[in-house]
PDB file of all heavy atoms in Angstrom:
ATOM      1  N   ALA A 579     101.239 122.875 123.656  1.00  0.00           N
ATOM      2  CA  ALA A 579     100.633 123.384 124.891  1.00  0.00           C
ATOM      3  C   ALA A 579     100.740 122.364 126.020  1.00  0.00           C
ATOM      4  O   ALA A 579     100.246 122.612 127.123  1.00  0.00           O
ATOM      5  CB  ALA A 579      99.169 123.746 124.650  1.00  0.00           C
ATOM      6  N   GLY A 580     101.352 121.212 125.750  1.00  0.00           N
ATOM      7  CA  GLY A 580     101.582 120.216 126.793  1.00  0.00           C
ATOM      8  C   GLY A 580     100.606 119.073 126.817  1.00  0.00           C
ATOM      9  O   GLY A 580     100.718 118.180 127.664  1.00  0.00           O
ATOM     10  N   HIS A 581      99.605 119.067 125.910  1.00  0.00           N
ATOM     11  CA  HIS A 581      98.573 118.037 125.921  1.00  0.00           C
ATOM     12  C   HIS A 581      99.007 116.796 125.146  1.00  0.00           C
ATOM     13  O   HIS A 581      99.844 116.871 124.238  1.00  0.00           O
ATOM     14  CB  HIS A 581      97.277 118.584 125.321  1.00  0.00           C
ATOM     15  CG  HIS A 581      96.811 119.857 125.951  1.00  0.00           C
ATOM     16  ND1 HIS A 581      96.589 121.013 125.248  1.00  0.00           N
ATOM     17  CD2 HIS A 581      96.547 120.159 127.253  1.00  0.00           C
ATOM     18  CE1 HIS A 581      96.196 121.974 126.070  1.00  0.00           C
ATOM     19  NE2 HIS A 581      96.167 121.474 127.294  1.00  0.00           N
ATOM     20  N   ILE A 582      98.384 115.670 125.478  1.00  0.00           N
ATOM     21  CA  ILE A 582      98.598 114.441 124.736  1.00  0.00           C
ATOM     22  C   ILE A 582      97.247 113.833 124.371  1.00  0.00           C
ATOM     23  O   ILE A 582      96.218 114.187 124.946  1.00  0.00           O
ATOM     24  CB  ILE A 582      99.436 113.414 125.524  1.00  0.00           C
ATOM     25  CG1 ILE A 582      98.736 113.018 126.836  1.00  0.00           C
ATOM     26  CG2 ILE A 582     100.835 113.953 125.794  1.00  0.00           C
ATOM     27  CD1 ILE A 582      99.445 111.892 127.590  1.00  0.00           C
ATOM     28  N   GLY A 583      97.246 112.929 123.414  1.00  0.00           N
ATOM     29  CA  GLY A 583      96.022 112.264 123.005  1.00  0.00           C
ATOM     30  C   GLY A 583      96.314 110.973 122.283  1.00  0.00           C
ATOM     31  O   GLY A 583      97.456 110.668 121.935  1.00  0.00           O
ATOM     32  N   TYR A 584      95.234 110.227 122.050  1.00  0.00           N
ATOM     33  CA  TYR A 584      95.336 108.922 121.386  1.00  0.00           C
ATOM     34  C   TYR A 584      94.051 108.699 120.596  1.00  0.00           C
ATOM     35  O   TYR A 584      92.945 108.855 121.136  1.00  0.00           O
ATOM     36  CB  TYR A 584      95.514 107.820 122.441  1.00  0.00           C
ATOM     37  CG  TYR A 584      95.335 106.407 121.923  1.00  0.00           C
ATOM     38  CD1 TYR A 584      96.169 105.890 120.943  1.00  0.00           C
ATOM     39  CD2 TYR A 584      94.330 105.589 122.438  1.00  0.00           C
ATOM     40  CE1 TYR A 584      96.006 104.583 120.475  1.00  0.00           C
ATOM     41  CE2 TYR A 584      94.173 104.280 121.989  1.00  0.00           C
ATOM     42  CZ  TYR A 584      95.008 103.790 121.002  1.00  0.00           C
ATOM     43  OH  TYR A 584      94.850 102.514 120.554  1.00  0.00           O
ATOM     44  N   TYR A 585      94.178 108.368 119.298  1.00  0.00           N
ATOM     45  CA  TYR A 585      92.972 108.195 118.502  1.00  0.00           C
ATOM     46  C   TYR A 585      93.246 107.269 117.311  1.00  0.00           C
ATOM     47  O   TYR A 585      93.660 107.722 116.251  1.00  0.00           O
ATOM     48  CB  TYR A 585      92.474 109.544 118.000  1.00  0.00           C
ATOM     49  CG  TYR A 585      91.022 109.537 117.542  1.00  0.00           C
ATOM     50  CD1 TYR A 585      90.109 108.607 118.016  1.00  0.00           C
ATOM     51  CD2 TYR A 585      90.563 110.490 116.643  1.00  0.00           C
ATOM     52  CE1 TYR A 585      88.788 108.616 117.614  1.00  0.00           C
ATOM     53  CE2 TYR A 585      89.239 110.518 116.230  1.00  0.00           C
ATOM     54  CZ  TYR A 585      88.350 109.573 116.725  1.00  0.00           C
ATOM     55  OH  TYR A 585      87.043 109.592 116.327  1.00  0.00           O
ATOM     56  N   PRO A 586      92.958 105.982 117.441  1.00  0.00           N
ATOM     57  CA  PRO A 586      93.128 105.048 116.322  1.00  0.00           C
ATOM     58  C   PRO A 586      91.845 104.943 115.503  1.00  0.00           C
ATOM     59  O   PRO A 586      91.187 103.899 115.468  1.00  0.00           O
ATOM     60  CB  PRO A 586      93.458 103.737 117.028  1.00  0.00           C
ATOM     61  CG  PRO A 586      92.704 103.821 118.323  1.00  0.00           C
ATOM     62  CD  PRO A 586      92.682 105.277 118.709  1.00  0.00           C
ATOM     63  N   HIS A 587      91.480 106.014 114.823  1.00  0.00           N
ATOM     64  CA  HIS A 587      90.215 106.050 114.102  1.00  0.00           C
ATOM     65  C   HIS A 587      90.306 105.269 112.798  1.00  0.00           C
ATOM     66  O   HIS A 587      91.331 105.285 112.115  1.00  0.00           O
ATOM     67  CB  HIS A 587      89.807 107.489 113.790  1.00  0.00           C
ATOM     68  CG  HIS A 587      88.429 107.592 113.221  1.00  0.00           C
ATOM     69  ND1 HIS A 587      88.166 107.452 111.878  1.00  0.00           N
ATOM     70  CD2 HIS A 587      87.228 107.798 113.822  1.00  0.00           C
ATOM     71  CE1 HIS A 587      86.872 107.560 111.671  1.00  0.00           C
ATOM     72  NE2 HIS A 587      86.276 107.786 112.827  1.00  0.00           N
ATOM     73  N   ALA A 588      89.230 104.605 112.434  1.00  0.00           N
ATOM     74  CA  ALA A 588      89.096 103.924 111.145  1.00  0.00           C
ATOM     75  C   ALA A 588      87.667 103.421 111.020  1.00  0.00           C
ATOM     76  O   ALA A 588      86.907 103.430 111.988  1.00  0.00           O
ATOM     77  CB  ALA A 588      90.075 102.754 111.034  1.00  0.00           C
ATOM     78  N   LEU A 589      87.311 103.000 109.828  1.00  0.00           N
ATOM     79  CA  LEU A 589      86.040 102.319 109.627  1.00  0.00           C
ATOM     80  C   LEU A 589      86.169 100.886 110.142  1.00  0.00           C
ATOM     81  O   LEU A 589      86.995 100.113 109.649  1.00  0.00           O
ATOM     82  CB  LEU A 589      85.671 102.287 108.144  1.00  0.00           C
ATOM     83  CG  LEU A 589      85.364 103.616 107.467  1.00  0.00           C
ATOM     84  CD1 LEU A 589      84.997 103.380 106.004  1.00  0.00           C
ATOM     85  CD2 LEU A 589      84.261 104.369 108.182  1.00  0.00           C
ATOM     86  N   VAL A 590      85.377 100.547 111.136  1.00  0.00           N
ATOM     87  CA  VAL A 590      85.320  99.182 111.656  1.00  0.00           C
ATOM     88  C   VAL A 590      83.882  98.713 111.495  1.00  0.00           C
ATOM     89  O   VAL A 590      82.966  99.320 112.045  1.00  0.00           O
ATOM     90  CB  VAL A 590      85.742  99.109 113.132  1.00  0.00           C
ATOM     91  CG1 VAL A 590      85.743  97.657 113.610  1.00  0.00           C
ATOM     92  CG2 VAL A 590      87.125  99.727 113.325  1.00  0.00           C
ATOM     93  N   PRO A 591      83.648  97.665 110.725  1.00  0.00           N
ATOM     94  CA  PRO A 591      82.253  97.282 110.433  1.00  0.00           C
ATOM     95  C   PRO A 591      81.503  96.796 111.659  1.00  0.00           C
ATOM     96  O   PRO A 591      82.067  96.130 112.532  1.00  0.00           O
ATOM     97  CB  PRO A 591      82.400  96.167 109.402  1.00  0.00           C
ATOM     98  CG  PRO A 591      83.791  95.676 109.542  1.00  0.00           C
ATOM     99  CD  PRO A 591      84.621  96.822 110.019  1.00  0.00           C
ATOM    100  N   LYS A 592      80.228  97.138 111.705  1.00  0.00           N
ATOM    101  CA  LYS A 592      79.336  96.540 112.700  1.00  0.00           C
ATOM    102  C   LYS A 592      79.054  95.090 112.287  1.00  0.00           C
ATOM    103  O   LYS A 592      78.716  94.812 111.133  1.00  0.00           O
ATOM    104  CB  LYS A 592      78.019  97.310 112.772  1.00  0.00           C
ATOM    105  CG  LYS A 592      78.095  98.638 113.490  1.00  0.00           C
ATOM    106  CD  LYS A 592      76.705  99.249 113.597  1.00  0.00           C
ATOM    107  CE  LYS A 592      76.725 100.529 114.438  1.00  0.00           C
ATOM    108  NZ  LYS A 592      75.367 101.099 114.553  1.00  0.00           N
ATOM    109  N   ARG A 593      79.183  94.194 113.245  1.00  0.00           N
ATOM    110  CA  ARG A 593      78.881  92.789 113.005  1.00  0.00           C
ATOM    111  C   ARG A 593      77.986  92.292 114.141  1.00  0.00           C
ATOM    112  O   ARG A 593      78.436  91.563 115.035  1.00  0.00           O
ATOM    113  CB  ARG A 593      80.169  91.965 112.947  1.00  0.00           C
ATOM    114  CG  ARG A 593      81.145  92.342 111.806  1.00  0.00           C
ATOM    115  CD  ARG A 593      82.369  91.474 111.895  1.00  0.00           C
ATOM    116  NE  ARG A 593      83.321  91.631 110.821  1.00  0.00           N
ATOM    117  CZ  ARG A 593      84.441  92.372 110.898  1.00  0.00           C
ATOM    118  NH1 ARG A 593      84.685  93.090 111.996  1.00  0.00           N
ATOM    119  NH2 ARG A 593      85.276  92.413 109.884  1.00  0.00           N
ATOM    120  N   PRO A 594      76.723  92.674 114.155  1.00  0.00           N
ATOM    121  CA  PRO A 594      75.844  92.311 115.275  1.00  0.00           C
ATOM    122  C   PRO A 594      75.615  90.810 115.393  1.00  0.00           C
ATOM    123  O   PRO A 594      75.178  90.336 116.440  1.00  0.00           O
ATOM    124  CB  PRO A 594      74.543  93.051 114.952  1.00  0.00           C
ATOM    125  CG  PRO A 594      74.577  93.230 113.474  1.00  0.00           C
ATOM    126  CD  PRO A 594      76.018  93.444 113.126  1.00  0.00           C
ATOM    127  N   TRP A 595      75.922  90.080 114.344  1.00  0.00           N
ATOM    128  CA  TRP A 595      75.704  88.644 114.321  1.00  0.00           C
ATOM    129  C   TRP A 595      76.858  87.857 114.919  1.00  0.00           C
ATOM    130  O   TRP A 595      76.785  86.635 115.035  1.00  0.00           O
ATOM    131  CB  TRP A 595      75.504  88.184 112.869  1.00  0.00           C
ATOM    132  CG  TRP A 595      76.414  88.896 111.912  1.00  0.00           C
ATOM    133  CD1 TRP A 595      76.095  89.973 111.140  1.00  0.00           C
ATOM    134  CD2 TRP A 595      77.803  88.626 111.659  1.00  0.00           C
ATOM    135  NE1 TRP A 595      77.183  90.398 110.395  1.00  0.00           N
ATOM    136  CE2 TRP A 595      78.247  89.577 110.701  1.00  0.00           C
ATOM    137  CE3 TRP A 595      78.715  87.684 112.134  1.00  0.00           C
ATOM    138  CZ2 TRP A 595      79.556  89.606 110.215  1.00  0.00           C
ATOM    139  CZ3 TRP A 595      80.021  87.714 111.656  1.00  0.00           C
ATOM    140  CH2 TRP A 595      80.429  88.665 110.714  1.00  0.00           C
ATOM    141  N   VAL A 596      77.974  88.522 115.276  1.00  0.00           N
ATOM    142  CA  VAL A 596      79.172  87.798 115.699  1.00  0.00           C
ATOM    143  C   VAL A 596      78.855  86.904 116.899  1.00  0.00           C
ATOM    144  O   VAL A 596      78.235  87.318 117.882  1.00  0.00           O
ATOM    145  CB  VAL A 596      80.329  88.774 116.012  1.00  0.00           C
ATOM    146  CG1 VAL A 596      80.010  89.645 117.216  1.00  0.00           C
ATOM    147  CG2 VAL A 596      81.642  88.032 116.229  1.00  0.00           C
ATOM    148  N   GLY A 597      79.231  85.647 116.803  1.00  0.00           N
ATOM    149  CA  GLY A 597      79.018  84.687 117.878  1.00  0.00           C
ATOM    150  C   GLY A 597      77.671  84.016 117.869  1.00  0.00           C
ATOM    151  O   GLY A 597      77.407  83.163 118.716  1.00  0.00           O
ATOM    152  N   THR A 598      76.788  84.378 116.920  1.00  0.00           N
ATOM    153  CA  THR A 598      75.486  83.714 116.851  1.00  0.00           C
ATOM    154  C   THR A 598      75.607  82.403 116.068  1.00  0.00           C
ATOM    155  O   THR A 598      76.660  82.086 115.524  1.00  0.00           O
ATOM    156  CB  THR A 598      74.441  84.632 116.201  1.00  0.00           C
ATOM    157  OG1 THR A 598      74.845  84.928 114.856  1.00  0.00           O
ATOM    158  CG2 THR A 598      74.310  85.923 116.985  1.00  0.00           C
ATOM    159  N   MET A 599      74.479  81.646 116.012  1.00  0.00           N
ATOM    160  CA  MET A 599      74.528  80.292 115.459  1.00  0.00           C
ATOM    161  C   MET A 599      73.468  80.066 114.377  1.00  0.00           C
ATOM    162  O   MET A 599      72.670  79.135 114.472  1.00  0.00           O
ATOM    163  CB  MET A 599      74.307  79.280 116.589  1.00  0.00           C
ATOM    164  CG  MET A 599      75.420  79.210 117.611  1.00  0.00           C
ATOM    165  SD  MET A 599      76.753  78.134 117.134  1.00  0.00           S
ATOM    166  CE  MET A 599      75.983  76.520 117.292  1.00  0.00           C
TER     167      MET A 599
END
Side-chain angles (χ1 to χ4, degrees):
H581 307 123
I582 61 174
Y584 167 62
Y585 198 24
H587 188 274
L589 294 181
V590 183
K592 285 185 174 181
R593 298 179 175 99
W595 39 262
V596 66
T598 62
M599 292 275 289

